[in-house]
Amino acid sequence: MIKIESKRTFLRDYARDGSDLESILRFTGDPEVATHSSWGPLTRDETMDYMNKALMAIDAQPRVNFALALVLKSTNELIGNVSLNIRNPQTREAEIGYTLRRDQWHQGYASEAARAVIHFGFTELGLHRIFATTSPHNVPSQRVLEKIGLKREGYLRKNVLQRGSWRDSVLYAVLEDDWPRV
Ligand SMILES: CC(C)(COP(=O)(O)OP(=O)(O)OC[C@H]1O[C@@H](n2cnc3c(N)ncnc32)[C@H](O)[C@@H]1OP(=O)(O)O)[C@@H](O)C(=O)NCCC(=O)NCCS
């Protein structure tokens, strides 16, 4: 059972009894949250599929997908998701992502939790490189990545199919050697 703590938040696996569904739906089902994503907004059934896949990944040996609930310590409320997916075990490379409920934006929670999961990736999983891609129009997401120390590496042309149209992405990454050990 994963628990990754930061000052105001912790990340944990979704509950196996499915009890997180309503909380997850608050961000997966919101069209504004999905503005810059290739997915969503998701229906209740699609959200249940997403949650069930995340639950199945918990028991994989070795585990390569971490779709984690972002929980506020102060209220124990599930307010979002942070993911870490190992894309290439040989090169020890993983991708991060994050999504928060709209009423919790602009309080630094995404930066805090993403920093914690990157620390986990380097120190507990022994990763070499962690990357993220985002839409060039997603300024808050680029800001999060820059704040926590990822460097902009490139610009990918029309690599994402977003609701029927191709769109560009910006690529950010951080290397194990860049990451503070303390
Ligand atoms: C991206 C997202 C996770 C950020 O969450 P958050 O908790 O609000 O992020 P933080 O508060 O840690 O940081 C956001 C930063 O963006 C800045 N920002 C927000 N809106 C901005 C805007 N329109 N223009 C410029 N900067 C902006 C904030 O000021 C903050 O930077 P600062 O701390 O230097 O002031 C949230 O907006 C979200 O869930 N969006 C929808 C899903 C999504 O796009 N996920 C990422 C897919 S790659």
Side-chain angles (χ1 to χ4, degrees):
M1 193 74 181
I2 296 275
K3 189 166 183 189
I4 302 172
E5 280 197 62
S6 62
K7 194 166 164 237
R8 298 172 297 166
T9 72
F10 65 89
L11 298 166
R12 61 159 170 82
D13 286 314
Y14 291 128
R16 288 188 192 263
D17 64 3
S19 55
D20 289 327
L21 182 66
E22 295 307 322
S23 306
I24 301 171
L25 198 50
R26 286 191 64 183
F27 55 89
T28 55
D30 181 342
E32 201 174 319
V33 169
T35 305
H36 300 293
S37 303
S38 53
W39 57 270
L42 304 184
T43 63
R44 168 180 287 269
D45 283 352
E46 289 167 338
T47 300
M48 205 181 297
D49 280 352
Y50 153 74
M51 187 183 70
N52 286 336
K53 281 192 190 120
L55 289 173
M56 279 193 298
I58 296 174
D59 297 321
Q61 289 295 337
R63 183 170 181 182
V64 290
N65 296 116
F66 299 82
L68 303 171
L70 169 55
V71 181
L72 280 187
K73 281 182 178 173
S74 57
T75 58
N76 212 33
E77 252 187 308
L78 192 168
I79 61 161
N81 148 279
V82 175
S83 63
L84 179 74
N85 294 307
I86 298 176
R87 299 297 186 205
N88 186 334
Q90 275 72 43
T91 58
R92 296 182 280 119
E93 185 178 39
E95 179 171 7
I96 55 161
Y98 35 73
T99 304
L100 257 72
R101 214 169 77 189
R102 203 174 354 135
D103 65 343
Q104 301 293 331
W105 290 358
H106 310 305
Q107 296 174 71
Y109 293 137
S111 304
E112 185 175 322
R115 187 180 277 119
V117 86
I118 289 173
H119 190 73
F120 169 78
F122 285 135
T123 58
E124 301 293 324
L125 302 180
L127 294 173
H128 166 64
R129 182 174 187 272
I130 298 176
F131 71 95
T133 63
T134 189
S135 162
H137 303 292
N138 195 345
V139 178
S141 181
Q142 291 175 66
R143 183 75 198 115
V144 167
L145 296 170
E146 282 161 8
K147 274 199 296 184
I148 63 177
L150 281 79
K151 294 193 169 60
R152 186 171 159 145
E153 291 190 339
Y155 191 91
L156 312 176
R157 292 184 306 146
K158 299 202 186 307
N159 71 319
V160 172
L161 192 57
Q162 187 174 302
R163 288 175 280 281
S165 304
W166 292 108
R167 73 142 168 87
D168 301 342
S169 299
V170 277
L171 169 67
Y172 284 83
V174 58
L175 302 177
E176 57 182 328
D177 291 345
D178 301 333
W179 193 253
R181 295 274 140 196
V182 287

